[in-house]
Amino acid sequence: MARLREFDIDEALDGVMDVFWRNGYEGASMQAIEAATGLNKQSLYRVFEDKRAMYLAALARYEQEEMVKAQAVLTGEGSARQRFQIIFNGLVSLAAKGDRSGCFLCNAATDQAQLDAPTQEFVAGAMRRIEKLFRTALSVSEPYSSDEKLRDARAASLLAVYFGIRVLTKANAPLRAIRAASEDALASI
Amino acid sequence: MARLREFDIDEALDGVMDVFWRNGYEGASMQAIEAATGLNKQSLYRVFEDKRAMYLAALARYEQEEMVKAQAVLTGEGSARQRFQIIFNGLVSLAAKGDRSGCFLCNAATDQAQLDAPTQEFVAGAMRRIEKLFRTALSVSEPYSSDEKLRDARAASLLAVYFGIRVLTKANAPLRAIRAASEDALASI
DNA sequence: ATAATTACGGACTGATCGGTCAATAATTGA
DNA sequence: TCAATTATTGACCGATCAGTCCGTAATTAT
């Protein structure tokens, strides 16, 4: 008995995500979000409580999209090293292509995690989920399949290298450094 | 022939740095900077062109302070591994103490590097300088003293782990993960 | 002392911020 | 067809933003 919404929420979220990703929470103006989504503010405020809710929803969408991709690779075929090779080589070739957008989750960690409790909770949770996925991927190969302790340590270490590479990328570090960090990490597996 | 400035620029810069460090560029209001420095806006604008100049000056001061400390350790005594042990253990105990402030340079990389050219240039430069310092530290021990290629790769890798740990810290990752990443990195040296 | 100069601090600026309101358009069930 | 409901839109809100102006205080050379 009423008019139907004309836009798709997930499509709009892609625009919202893009603005927050590039500009950070405070740097993202509602004006920019309107432009990126092609929607009027009010249409967005009907769906989301406030700017903060848009941010969290965008973060959740980012994680979901990235996790699907990562999961496909890390729970797919090949040895543990081969699986991580796909992930890390992906980072290197992204940087090589000139894509310096970095990682939205990583941005959220440095930008908002210490200022907003829900963001902190979400980011910490997302990182735990990535870490768990890393562990699962390592588990398919020796010595990780038999040494749980080593597996967990290596998963944490790979997580750190992963975020480190994304920071280096966003800082326009030379491709050489990004490639070296990636290859060194892979060699350790 | 004129009145003298009553405050110390570097002391003021510490306050400025603190606000930008915690809140990011856009999240830092001049009002907050006034409160943190105990100075009136106008006193700051007499010294710095604008907010952006304050940000860059704060970044420069951060790098200078951190580099002095890092240099003392990394060009000091002990094997390469021992030197990095001091650095990485420092990160772990900082996190253990509940200090989740992270790294200002790392924040700047994710927050402003892609939005402001001077910031990007500065951050990229600072990272290059840290990388160089890492190389120097590695050079004192075998096999790095004889294998330049391995040394450079390891320096880049350690740089990535370093920033990764700082991101994990700011995201309130469990101390266990931070410690594991640190120990794994040290074991690789 | 006084003239010259500069620091200080609070009032002020226009612009933009996130968020809301109210008038209008569209859709639905009855 | 019409009553009810919701989406859309642009105007609008007070607050805050970065930055400026200007009257006053302080300092120094003369």
Side-chain angles (χ1 to χ4, degrees):
Chain A
M1 4 179 147
R3 184 174 172 181
L4 300 173
R5 199 184 1 253
E6 289 172 6
F7 65 93
D8 178 72
I9 292 185
D10 279 337
E11 237 170 78
L13 260 182
D14 281 335
V16 173
M17 180 169 70
D18 196 58
V19 178
F20 281 126
W21 190 346
R22 249 204 295 277
N23 303 96
Y25 180 75
E26 294 292 353
S29 68
M30 283 308 304
Q31 198 177 310
I33 293 174
E34 284 183 289
T37 56
L39 295 170
N40 185 281
K41 253 190 255 196
Q42 187 61 15
S43 296
L44 290 161
Y45 276 107
R46 288 184 80 63
V47 179
F48 303 103
E49 171 89 22
D50 51 19
K51 188 185 172 187
R52 184 65 67 177
M54 296 177 207
Y55 184 71
L56 288 168
L59 260 183
R61 183 160 168 79
Y62 176 82
E63 190 208 356
Q64 199 248 332
E65 285 183 348
E66 290 298 304
M67 281 298 270
V68 165
K69 281 189 273 180
Q71 221 147 19
V73 172
L74 290 173
T75 66
E77 292 183 327
S79 67
R81 178 182 284 145
Q82 284 172 330
R83 296 181 189 192
F84 280 100
Q85 236 154 20
I86 298 173
I87 299 289
F88 282 89
N89 286 345
L91 293 188
V92 173
S93 59
L94 220 64
K97 265 193 301 188
D99 184 337
R100 300 289 178 158
S101 56
C103 161
F104 185 24
L105 197 66
C106 182
N107 295 359
T110 57
D111 175 21
Q112 289 295 308
Q114 293 299 313
L115 299 173
D116 180 64
T119 302
Q120 174 173 119
E121 200 172 334
F122 181 85
V123 171
M127 289 192 175
R128 251 185 281 115
R129 290 186 283 277
I130 300 173
E131 196 189 359
K132 193 180 168 189
L133 184 60
F134 276 19
R135 286 182 188 178
T136 306
L138 286 174
S139 290
V140 302
S141 294
E142 285 298 342
Y144 308 108
S145 42
S146 45
D147 186 345
E148 208 169 287
K149 216 162 180 174
L150 177 63
R151 183 200 67 184
D152 292 356
R154 187 58 35 90
S157 161
L158 286 169
L159 193 64
V161 176
Y162 178 83
F163 285 124
I165 288 176
R166 305 220 68 157
V167 170
L168 287 173
T169 301
K170 207 160 189 199
N172 256 37
L175 189 60
R176 166 195 59 71
I178 293 168
R179 184 177 286 124
S182 163
E183 285 174 3
D184 203 68
L186 288 172
S188 79
I189 297 176
Chain B
M1 327 188 174
R3 185 174 171 180
L4 299 173
R5 201 186 356 256
E6 288 171 8
F7 65 92
D8 178 75
I9 292 185
D10 279 337
E11 237 169 78
L13 218 39
D14 281 335
V16 172
M17 180 170 68
D18 197 59
V19 176
F20 281 126
W21 191 345
R22 248 203 295 278
N23 303 96
Y25 181 75
E26 294 291 352
S29 68
M30 283 309 303
Q31 198 177 311
I33 292 173
E34 284 184 287
T37 56
L39 295 170
N40 185 280
K41 250 191 258 197
Q42 187 59 17
S43 296
L44 289 161
Y45 276 107
R46 283 178 130 321
V47 178
F48 304 102
E49 171 90 22
D50 52 18
K51 189 185 172 186
R52 184 64 66 178
M54 296 177 207
Y55 184 72
L56 288 168
L59 260 183
R61 182 161 169 78
Y62 176 82
E63 190 209 356
Q64 198 249 331
E65 285 183 348
E66 290 298 306
M67 281 298 269
V68 165
K69 280 190 273 182
Q71 220 148 18
V73 172
L74 291 173
T75 65
E77 293 183 327
S79 67
R81 179 183 283 144
Q82 285 172 329
R83 296 180 190 192
F84 280 101
Q85 236 155 19
I86 298 174
I87 299 290
F88 282 88
N89 286 346
L91 293 187
V92 173
S93 58
L94 219 65
K97 267 193 302 190
D99 184 337
R100 300 288 179 160
S101 55
C103 162
F104 185 24
L105 197 66
C106 181
N107 296 359
T110 57
D111 174 22
Q112 289 295 308
Q114 293 300 313
L115 300 173
D116 179 64
T119 302
Q120 174 174 119
E121 199 172 333
F122 181 84
V123 170
M127 289 191 175
R128 253 185 282 117
R129 290 186 284 276
I130 300 174
E131 195 189 1
K132 194 180 169 190
L133 183 59
F134 277 18
R135 286 181 187 177
T136 306
L138 286 174
S139 291
V140 303
S141 294
E142 284 300 338
Y144 309 108
S145 42
S146 44
D147 187 345
E148 207 169 288
K149 216 163 180 176
L150 177 63
R151 183 199 67 182
D152 292 356
R154 188 58 34 91
S157 163
L158 286 169
L159 193 65
V161 176
Y162 178 84
F163 285 124
I165 288 176
R166 305 219 69 157
V167 170
L168 287 173
T169 302
K170 206 160 191 199
N172 256 37
L175 189 59
R176 167 194 58 69
I178 293 168
R179 184 178 285 123
S182 163
E183 285 174 3
D184 204 67
L186 288 172
S188 79
I189 296 177

